[in-house]
Amino acid sequence: ADNSQEGLGGAIGVYSNTDHSISVQHSHFAANRAELSGGAIFVYGAAELNIFASTFLENRSEGPSSTYDRYGGAIFADSVVSLSISNSLFGANYMEQGNSSDGAGGAVYAQLVSELNVYNTIFAENESSSKGGSVAFDSVVDLEIINNNILSTVAADGAAWFGNITAAEISNNVFADSQSAALVTDNSLTVSNN
């Protein structure tokens, strides 16, 4: 807890290839900070990234390098074949875009992922100064967001933001008390029982 990194991944930074799997279970990440992306965890390239029964509280992606794009107040994942987040809690995580041209994901940002699943997870009081106060996902082939609570989110553009999603199931989620739209996307997605 309370780690700080000038670049990527305040607590954990992993650069891998698609032969490796990463699992985070029953873990607690609090008050970590990365100047660029992944306030707690940064992963680039992996076969699998599994987050299970873990808590992420008050992690931040912010700092003086205001000209670089920032993503993921708690988690940043890029070029991961399969990403799964389940039975976890994300509270009061923050991503500050600063003067950069782009930024997204107050709690979680993921891009270039083949299969992305988020189940039975609570996102509460997360904040992004740009897109996706709780989650932001871009260039995902198969997305499932099922049985989650996305609550009290602050963002300029959506509690959840999705770009370039090929197929998605978004069902049985609670979106409440957000200061922007619950869901923002450029895609045609089916959303049911939310």
Side-chain angles (χ1 to χ4, degrees):
D2 198 16
N3 292 301
S4 181
Q5 174 57 251
E6 291 181 1
L8 307 166
I12 297 172
V14 177
Y15 293 85
S16 182
N17 60 39
T18 56
D19 294 334
H20 295 94
S21 294
I22 301 159
S23 183
V24 176
Q25 298 183 12
H26 305 283
S27 299
H28 181 74
F29 295 85
N32 297 288
R33 186 184 73 81
E35 188 175 315
L36 298 177
S37 294
I41 296 175
F42 174 93
V43 175
Y44 179 87
E48 293 179 309
L49 172 58
N50 296 307
I51 309 293
F52 176 74
S54 296
T55 58
F56 295 82
L57 304 174
E58 298 180 351
N59 298 287
R60 304 173 81 77
S61 178
E62 64 174 358
S65 290
S66 59
T67 58
Y68 293 100
D69 295 345
R70 290 199 183 92
Y71 303 98
I75 296 175
F76 172 92
D78 186 357
S79 302
V80 173
V81 176
S82 175
L83 169 58
S84 177
I85 299 170
S86 62
N87 301 88
S88 295
L89 170 65
F90 291 82
N93 298 287
Y94 177 69
M95 186 287 305
E96 171 60 54
Q97 181 178 348
N99 294 325
S100 68
S101 61
D102 200 11
V108 180
Y109 178 82
Q111 66 182 11
L112 300 172
V113 176
S114 295
E115 182 180 345
L116 198 162
N117 303 311
V118 182
Y119 303 124
N120 307 315
T121 293
I122 297 171
F123 296 88
E125 299 180 356
N126 296 291
E127 182 176 352
S128 167
S129 65
S130 185
K131 298 177 282 196
S134 284
V135 296
F137 303 138
D138 193 10
S139 300
V140 175
V141 175
D142 187 13
L143 173 66
E144 290 188 357
I145 299 180
I146 301 172
N147 296 330
N148 302 287
N149 290 304
I150 299 176
L151 312 169
S152 303
T153 300
V154 176
D157 200 9
W161 179 88
F162 306 129
N164 301 312
I165 307 299
T166 304
E169 179 182 350
I170 302 168
S171 60
N172 301 319
N173 300 288
V174 174
F175 293 90
D177 299 324
S178 294
Q179 293 185 10
S180 65
L183 177 70
V184 174
T185 182
D186 296 332
N187 305 98
S188 295
L189 301 177
T190 301
V191 179
S192 61
N193 301 319
N194 291 287

